[in-house]
Amino acid sequence: MPTVQEQVDRMRDAFDNYDTEAFAALYHPDAVVTDPMYPEPLQGVDAIKKDMEEFATAFPDLEGRFDRVIVDSDTCAMELTMQGTHTGLLHARSGDIPPTNKPIELHMSAFARFDDQGRIVEERRYYDTAAMFEQLGSPS
């Protein structure tokens, strides 16, 4: 059974390689993810995988940096910086945003809780969607 730190390292690798299969495999099948882009939490690994695929489509050159990772027992806190160019359709609460070809720099934090098999069962993401939309020139 992998440790939380090993799973975080796998998450980093999956994100860096846009490997949605490997990314989704880090989550329990019934995992719940709260994300400010959605009015309701993402329920289940299929929804989580779809979210990553859609974000990768909207920002195909997205690069992420894990600025800080803190692991305590079954919980992990992460600070990340993501940069990319909006060249694909972005799904938002208020509707789809067509490509703007503008760069973004997004600072976010996430807290994840892992089960005894090393899978994420709950994740809460925090980032400033208004700042992201402002960078894209979109009122959403």
Side-chain angles (χ1 to χ4, degrees):
M1 161 173 51
T3 67
V4 170
Q5 184 61 56
E6 288 169 338
Q7 290 296 75
V8 170
D9 293 341
R10 286 184 179 122
M11 180 183 288
R12 214 179 260 156
D13 290 342
F15 187 88
D16 287 347
N17 294 305
Y18 271 42
D19 187 341
T20 57
E21 291 293 330
F23 193 83
L26 298 167
Y27 291 83
H28 184 278
D30 298 322
V32 175
V33 173
T34 304
D35 186 300
M37 286 290 283
Y38 303 104
E40 299 294 326
L42 300 169
Q43 300 278 337
V45 73
D46 291 338
I48 295 163
K49 181 180 175 192
K50 182 179 180 217
D51 172 59
M52 184 175 184
E53 290 170 345
E54 289 176 352
F55 209 73
T57 297
F59 300 94
D61 65 342
L62 190 68
E63 293 182 6
R65 181 180 71 236
F66 285 65
D67 299 315
R68 182 174 303 156
V69 177
I70 300 169
V71 175
D72 183 23
S73 184
D74 68 346
T75 303
C76 174
M78 300 169 276
E79 287 183 328
L80 304 98
T81 301
M82 293 187 283
Q83 296 175 314
T85 308
H86 179 219
T87 59
L89 189 64
L90 176 63
H91 301 288
R93 285 182 186 213
S94 59
D96 293 342
I97 301 170
T100 62
N101 296 310
K102 293 184 178 182
I104 64 159
E105 181 172 286
L106 183 63
H107 301 278
M108 75 178 282
S109 296
F111 296 86
R113 187 172 53 83
F114 294 76
D115 67 10
D116 58 1
Q117 300 298 310
R119 299 172 301 184
I120 299 170
V121 292
E122 178 185 18
E123 181 180 337
R124 295 182 177 270
R125 300 172 183 166
Y126 300 93
Y127 54 95
D128 187 350
T129 56
M132 182 177 74
F133 293 133
E134 183 177 318
Q135 291 175 66
L136 295 175
S138 173
S140 292

